Amino acid sequence: MADATLQGKLIEFKGGSLAVMTAHLRDTEAMRLADALHMMLGGMPDFFAGEAAVLDFSQLATFPDRVDWTAIVSLLRRYQVQPIAVRNLPEHLHEGARRANLAILGNEGMSAERPVAAPPPARVEAAAAAPAPEPVPALSAPTLIVERPVRSGQQVYSKGGDLILLAGMSPGSEVIADGCIHCYGPLRGRALAGARGDLTARIFSTNFGPELVSIAGVYRTFERGLPPAIAGHWAQVRLVSSDSQNTLEITPLGSD
Amino acid sequence: MARVIVVTSGKGGVGKTTTSASFSTGLALRGFKTAVIDFDVGLRNLDLIMGCERRVVYDLVNVINGEANLNQALIKDKHCENLFVLPASQTRDKDALSEEGVEKVLKELEHMGFDYIVCDSPAGIERGAVMALTFADEAIVVSNPEVSSVRDSDRILGILQSKSRRAVEGREAVKEHLLITRYAPKRVEEGEMLSYKDVHELLRVPLLGVIPESDDVLQASNQGSPAIHLKDSDVATAYQDVVARFLDEDRPLRFVNYEKPGLLKRIFGGK
């Protein structure tokens, strides 16, 4: 262990994202939360079996001046929930949460309603458990460009921006973007654009043949095959709204 | 510098071991010092195809565990001067393969002056298959002309891109080759089988060759002699073409078009 390089490897920091449970708290009063938890899980105090959780306060109507974090944390621990961080919390409550050893997460990230699949391991992101500093606003939305084919079983997520696929995607793969998806080559797996609810996101492909397309959560599968006018051709997918209803429209694009 | 080539597919029974045996034999016949390693720990087969099952004393796992050295475990092929087989262990499972252990074996083979190391991957996408492809410089992805095999090949190509050492370290990507085996032009003609063009279009990997479906393969396995040694066999010729193309020689594709049997052949029969 005298070797300095070996010493350095005893700890290694790596980016990555992990799926973690979110607990939406609609109250900050420990007593009332305790009652609610008892009603919900009275018979099963070890229901969560030590699972980690992020406490999300986006659904809290009004914020109190101070919160008894120790009480909340020990209450959750009694039910074997392991709170690790808080999210969507106003500034004035940050200090207290920090003192209770909870990390403050930025308010970005996955939307509460629609869990977004984890990005591929190749991309580096801040670990969820790390105390995130104040989010730095990006100057422009980042675009993720994938030069190799996205293969069956692979998943690519372009967080906050567009996704460009230069070598197409295979059946059984999944690509997700918060913005648009541009696919130069065959689009054959599942393509989900506007994953955080952007209704104006679109999907473009030079060789259209997906298993599923979705824009802002409105999805469509193709069990009976694609219309010949678009199958294997240039096409785009977008949302059109009529009578306050959003429907997917798939149209041929340019000339083939 | 030894080149490590993994023969992989995802799906089982598509012809990985047959290909590993013939391909490594073909390289050795060209004068390259070649080792072929069976990574299918627990379901050892390569030794049977190579006809050396009675000479297995030590295996890959023994070498990894330091119970034998490589010289003791490598079995010299009965046909080729330059070819050596490193069998898998039949009594262990894939957990016996460690990344460090495999790396050590490959490094040592390189020190012994091997030009090519062919890794015969087990089916699946679990530990054994990942171990076989981790250190690959090139990959031969074996696929049959049917959709489930193609899908599995696609999956393993994705794993190559994400789990190989080259991918993890951000070096130049593993060079991919597509090999289509068990190809029956007649059934393609009749629309019962995907054409090699379809498979190539679905996987978008450079085509290394097409091996025709043939009873010769079974015969070769039973005899314990790699199919590339067969006389007057399309399979042997196709594997020789594969080796030639791998070595950057130009060979047109053969055995991909269906020729209707002539009148005499239909009357008098024939193979």
Side-chain angles (χ1 to χ4, degrees):
Chain A
M1 276 300 150
D3 193 348
T5 52
L6 216 62
Q7 292 275 2
K9 289 215 170 143
L10 287 179
I11 182 161
E12 203 173 342
F13 292 94
K14 280 191 171 172
S17 62
L18 66 165
V20 62
M21 180 173 68
T22 304
H24 287 281
L25 301 192
R26 301 198 180 94
D27 201 326
T28 52
E29 181 55 56
M31 292 289 278
R32 284 196 292 269
L33 286 171
D35 288 346
L37 268 171
H38 184 76
M39 280 200 6
M40 203 191 286
L41 300 165
M44 294 182 289
D46 51 0
F47 179 78
F48 289 103
E51 205 175 327
V54 172
L55 309 183
D56 190 310
F57 294 90
S58 56
Q59 298 183 16
L60 195 64
T62 51
F63 288 95
D65 288 338
R66 58 179 302 280
V67 171
D68 187 354
W69 293 106
T70 327
I72 290 181
V73 168
S74 63
L75 166 70
L76 289 169
R77 291 236 165 103
R78 265 212 305 286
Y79 285 90
Q80 301 200 20
V81 179
Q82 199 65 246
I84 54 169
V86 293
R87 189 159 69 178
N88 294 316
L89 196 68
E91 285 255 21
H92 73 273
L93 293 171
H94 283 187
E95 188 52 40
R98 239 180 240 123
R99 250 184 273 134
N101 289 322
L102 293 167
I104 317 287
L105 295 188
N107 297 346
E108 90 290 359
M110 10 183 142
S111 74
E113 290 74 25
R114 196 189 346 273
V116 171
R123 279 156 33 87
V124 176
E125 279 177 329
E134 290 303 310
V136 181
L139 291 176
S140 64
T143 297
L144 180 63
I145 301 177
V146 181
E147 307 210 14
R148 297 181 63 97
V150 183
R151 302 287 183 184
S152 175
Q154 288 188 313
Q155 211 174 36
V156 176
Y157 173 37
S158 175
K159 188 176 173 180
D162 287 1
L163 175 63
I164 298 179
L165 305 176
L166 291 181
M169 62 185 294
S170 298
S173 65
E174 187 169 67
V175 297
I176 304 163
D178 292 336
C180 297
I181 295 170
H182 310 252
C183 180
Y184 301 92
L187 182 86
R188 289 185 180 132
R190 300 156 62 91
L192 297 88
R196 273 199 278 167
D198 180 1
L199 302 173
T200 63
R202 297 187 190 191
I203 298 169
F204 309 91
S205 172
T206 60
N207 182 347
F208 193 78
E211 296 168 335
L212 176 148
V213 287
S214 161
I215 288 173
V218 181
Y219 70 89
R220 186 169 158 192
T221 56
F222 304 94
E223 210 173 319
R224 288 197 212 109
L226 287 158
I230 51 168
H233 297 287
W234 290 60
Q236 74 161 325
V237 186
R238 60 183 182 138
L239 265 190
V240 287
S241 49
S242 52
D243 308 330
S244 72
Q245 253 210 313
N246 291 321
T247 47
L248 284 183
E249 181 192 79
I250 306 172
T251 47
L253 190 67
S255 60
D256 218 337
Chain B
M1 206 43 193
R3 291 290 280 179
V4 179
I5 304 145
V6 62
V7 177
T8 185
S9 72
K11 198 170 184 329
V14 297
K16 284 184 295 298
T17 302
T18 300
T19 297
S20 298
S22 285
F23 181 70
S24 55
T25 300
L27 289 172
L29 289 172
R30 294 292 194 106
F32 296 105
K33 191 174 177 188
T34 307
V36 56
I37 308 177
D38 191 350
F39 273 81
D40 207 347
V41 176
L43 293 166
R44 184 175 98 193
N45 276 162
L46 181 69
D47 52 323
L48 290 171
I49 308 285
M50 302 291 293
C52 63
E53 73 276 13
R54 288 167 195 280
R55 290 192 282 150
V56 176
V57 182
Y58 295 110
D59 55 52
L60 175 61
V61 174
N62 290 138
V63 179
I64 286 176
N65 292 346
E67 295 149 6
N69 65 41
L70 255 180
N71 278 314
Q72 291 173 298
L74 283 173
I75 304 171
K76 193 162 169 299
D77 184 60
K78 56 185 178 187
H79 300 288
C80 306
E81 194 64 22
N82 296 321
L83 182 59
F84 294 83
V85 182
L86 183 54
S89 175
Q90 183 69 355
T91 52
R92 307 294 288 272
D93 60 33
K94 271 124 189 136
D95 295 336
L97 295 174
S98 67
E99 203 169 303
E100 301 75 32
V102 173
E103 186 171 22
K104 193 190 80 180
V105 170
L106 296 175
K107 281 255 167 68
E108 218 173 312
L109 286 169
E110 187 169 348
H111 284 309
M112 290 167 75
F114 278 93
D115 298 305
Y116 289 107
I117 302 165
V118 178
C119 301
D120 181 23
S121 171
I125 54 172
E126 286 81 28
R127 187 171 185 81
V130 173
M131 283 297 128
L133 64 77
T134 298
F135 300 96
D137 300 306
E138 307 196 30
I140 297 178
V141 176
V142 182
S143 192
N144 288 165
E146 47 104 11
V147 283
S148 63
S149 174
V150 172
R151 170 75 62 94
D152 290 359
S153 297
D154 195 62
R155 184 86 165 90
I156 209 82
L157 282 162
I159 292 172
L160 266 169
Q161 279 172 34
S162 58
K163 293 203 176 159
S164 64
R165 203 39 96 74
R166 280 175 172 266
V168 170
E169 290 176 355
R171 286 185 286 147
E172 191 191 336
V174 176
K175 190 173 175 193
E176 300 160 344
H177 307 272
L178 172 62
L179 181 68
I180 300 172
T181 55
R182 312 195 66 166
Y183 196 72
K186 181 166 184 276
R187 297 187 62 193
V188 173
E189 184 100 336
E190 287 161 357
E192 294 171 4
M193 204 179 243
L194 293 175
S195 77
Y196 73 92
K197 286 177 187 148
D198 293 337
V199 178
H200 180 236
E201 209 265 328
L202 282 164
L203 291 175
R204 289 155 285 146
V205 171
L207 186 62
L208 186 62
V210 177
I211 309 294
E213 168 84 318
S214 166
D215 292 340
D216 296 350
V217 173
L218 187 63
Q219 190 202 328
S221 313
N222 289 339
Q223 288 174 356
S225 172
I228 197 169
H229 286 307
L230 291 169
K231 297 269 175 289
D232 306 318
S233 163
D234 289 355
V235 173
T237 317
Y239 271 120
Q240 281 156 14
D241 284 356
V242 164
V243 173
R245 285 190 206 104
F246 183 83
L247 298 170
D248 286 333
E249 291 168 26
D250 213 14
R251 293 277 171 101
L253 275 182
R254 290 194 255 191
F255 318 117
V256 291
N257 296 315
Y258 176 56
E259 283 158 31
K260 287 208 172 73
L263 183 65
L264 285 176
K265 210 168 188 181
R266 265 185 284 164
I267 294 172
F268 297 111
K271 276 214 279 188

